[in-house]
Amino acid sequence: MNPYFLVIPLPPIAQTRLASLCYGLPQVRWTEEDHFHVILRQFGPLADHRIAEIREKLEHLFFHPFPLVLQGMNTSQSKGKRGIIWVGVIESIQLS
């Protein structure tokens, strides 16, 4: 089973600015900028019925626009898996 994540997409301007940094590491397979996102929660592996429950609850959520401040970059890599480059998000009341 694969882990599941609750994510929100980054605004287009942030996607474009981050995409301008995606070069210079030939061993990295870059993702398309429209896949850049903020992970709100990691669920881990889930059974199908739990996925359906979560999707149903998420259908009723609405978010007002809020500021998002990005800060810092780093990498992480799991043994035997492809690594990722990530950008931090400064914690805000809207994301709490």
Side-chain angles (χ1 to χ4, degrees), residues 90-96:
I90 294 179
E91 188 173 339
S92 67
I93 292 172
Q94 293 87 348
L95 287 176
S96 299

Side-chain angles (χ1 to χ4, degrees), residues 24-77:
L25 299 172
Q27 68 275 21
V28 173
R29 190 178 102 204
W30 298 104
T31 188
E32 297 296 322
E33 65 186 71
D34 61 340
H35 290 132
F36 294 172
H37 58 268
V38 174
I39 298 174
L40 299 177
R41 170 135 189 219
Q42 179 178 354
F43 293 103
L46 295 171
D48 289 343
H49 73 280
R50 285 290 293 144
I51 296 168
E53 289 173 5
I54 292 168
R55 282 186 176 156
E56 182 180 333
K57 290 178 181 178
L58 291 174
E59 287 176 3
H60 303 287
L61 290 181
F62 175 80
F63 293 95
H64 293 283
F66 57 88
L68 186 67
V69 180
L70 305 178
Q71 178 178 319
M73 292 181 84
N74 208 336
T75 62
S76 63
Q77 188 168 10

Side-chain angles (χ1 to χ4, degrees), residues 3-34:
Y4 286 86
F5 300 88
L6 176 59
V7 303
I8 57 173
L10 286 173
I13 187 70
Q15 291 176 345
T16 300
R17 292 179 97 180
L18 287 173
S20 72
L21 303 173
C22 296
Y23 65 91
L25 299 172
Q27 68 275 21
V28 173
R29 190 178 102 204
W30 298 104
T31 188
E32 297 296 322
E33 65 186 71
D34 61 340

